[in-house]
Each structure stands twice: as structure tokens, then as C-alpha cells.
Amino acid sequence: MVISHGRFWRDQSGASMVEAAIAMPMLLTLLLGFVDFGYAFYQWNAGNKAVQAGARLAQISTPVAIGLPSETITQSDVTKVGTAVPAGTYDYVCTASAAGVACCSVGGGLCKPANASQASFDAIYDGTPNRAGMHTFLPMLVKSEVQIEYAASGLGYWTRPGGPVPTITVSIQNHPFQFFFLAGFLGFGTITMPSMLSTATGEDMKSTFP
């Protein structure tokens, strides 16, 4: 049987299968991309909830920075007693090592475990019997990604009985996100999510956890 060239080019048999074979990988990649980016958005939202919870816990519980409660309590210059504490008077930045050991730097100095309360850091990370911690909201969070800063921003006054009134900033730094489907299809690697942070004004210094 001889088929003319014109009839061969007009023949539509199997065209749908060819079209499906071409379109299916693109549609599948698009669908799985939505899943991956949806999960990334979920982690971003969970991270923001985690820093909000961490800031609230840091606000109402024992400070991680051991030296913070004594800041502004004493003042040798009696003319300053009761006057506002200038911004920048103190600045404590507390983080943790890869092993989860907490440390705090004072005024930009070295981060030292001796300056930090491990129990306070763990309470913010893990939570307390009455409050969920950062790890509860973002299970993939590790301690070394958490940063807690207590800084003077012009609030409070010298020799205030309740202690200093710091501005507390809790942030998540360098949190990785690993693509699952797109890593296999398109070779997407691990990305570092943008920093997430939440700021709160400190309340009276506590000696217990809520």
C-alpha cells in the first residue's frame, strides 16, 4: 500500500500522544514547583511565628544575658538618678554554637558562654510548660540560627527598681531551605532564607520562666 506524501502530512493519528508527551514534563514541573514553593512559604510563615513567640518569651522571662538585669541599676552620678537611659548604653547579642551552647557578646565583644544563661536560651527555643517556644513553630530550626539581642534604645531611667527596659529583637539567621521535587527535576540546591525577626519592649526583669 502506497501512502502519498500529502496524506502522510495530513494524518493526525498519534498527535495527541505526542502533544501530551511534550506538555506533561512541563506541567509536572510546574505542579511540583508549586508544591515546593508552597512549602517554602509555609516555612517562612512558620519562621515568622517562631520569632514572634521567641520575642514574647524573651520579653517576660529571665534574660539570656546574665549582666542585663544589673544595667542601669547603679549610678554613681546622683545628678543622673531618675533621668532617661541614653540609647546605646548597653547592647547584648546572644547566640548559640552548632552544639547548642549559648553565649552572649557585650557591646560588640566576643561571644562568651559565661555571659549567657543556657536555661533562658533553651526556654526561648524549646518553650516552657505554659508557652510554646520557637522550635514548636519551626521544627527544623536549630539553636545556632537563633539570635537574641537586648539593646538600650532610650527607654527606662537610671536606678529603675524593675531594672533596665531593653528593646529585644529575636531573629532567625541563615535558615536553609532544601527543594525536594525541583532539586531532582531542575537541580535546585539548598537556599538560605532571608532573616526573620520580631522586636518587643522588655518588661521588668524576671527571675523565673512563665
Side-chain angles (χ1 to χ4, degrees):
M1 180 178 179
V2 179
I3 300 177
S4 67
H5 290 294
R7 183 180 177 186
F8 174 80
W9 291 112
R10 290 193 301 271
D11 190 351
Q12 300 294 314
S13 299
S16 297
M17 184 177 295
V18 173
E19 292 170 356
I22 295 173
M24 187 59 69
M26 292 187 291
L27 292 175
L28 188 60
T29 300
L30 185 63
L31 175 62
L32 297 181
F34 278 130
V35 174
D36 263 351
F37 281 102
Y39 184 54
F41 180 76
Y42 165 79
Q43 279 210 39
W44 170 258
N45 186 60
N48 278 288
K49 293 293 184 183
V51 293
Q52 290 170 17
R56 179 56 182 161
L57 277 168
Q59 180 186 40
I60 60 177
S61 59
T62 304
V64 179
I66 293 175
L68 178 64
S70 63
E71 290 282 358
T72 75
I73 293 296
T74 59
Q75 176 54 253
S76 58
D77 186 349
V78 295
T79 64
K80 290 185 177 181
V81 173
T83 61
V85 176
T89 299
Y90 55 85
D91 184 23
Y92 293 83
V93 178
C94 303
T95 56
S97 66
V101 178
C103 66
C104 292
S105 65
V106 183
L110 294 176
C111 197
K112 300 179 180 179
N115 296 334
S117 166
Q118 186 70 48
S120 297
F121 191 95
D122 290 345
I124 294 171
Y125 176 79
D126 292 315
T128 68
N130 300 319
R131 291 182 181 274
M134 298 178 71
H135 192 235
T136 305
F137 291 94
L138 188 61
M140 297 181 70
L141 179 69
V142 296
K143 290 182 180 180
S144 59
E145 297 166 1
V146 176
Q147 178 178 290
I148 304 164
E149 181 179 11
Y150 303 87
S153 58
L155 301 175
Y157 56 89
W158 290 106
T159 67
R160 181 174 180 270
V165 184
T167 294
I168 304 170
T169 302
V170 176
S171 59
I172 294 175
Q173 311 279 343
N174 302 316
H175 183 66
F177 175 76
Q178 173 65 60
F179 288 98
F180 183 73
F181 296 110
L182 294 184
F185 276 92
L186 300 177
F188 280 31
T190 301
I191 63 171
T192 299
M193 301 186 76
S195 298
M196 295 158 274
L197 61 86
S198 182
T199 301
T201 300
E203 298 182 3
D204 287 351
M205 299 291 100
K206 309 295 181 180
S207 59
T208 57
F209 304 115

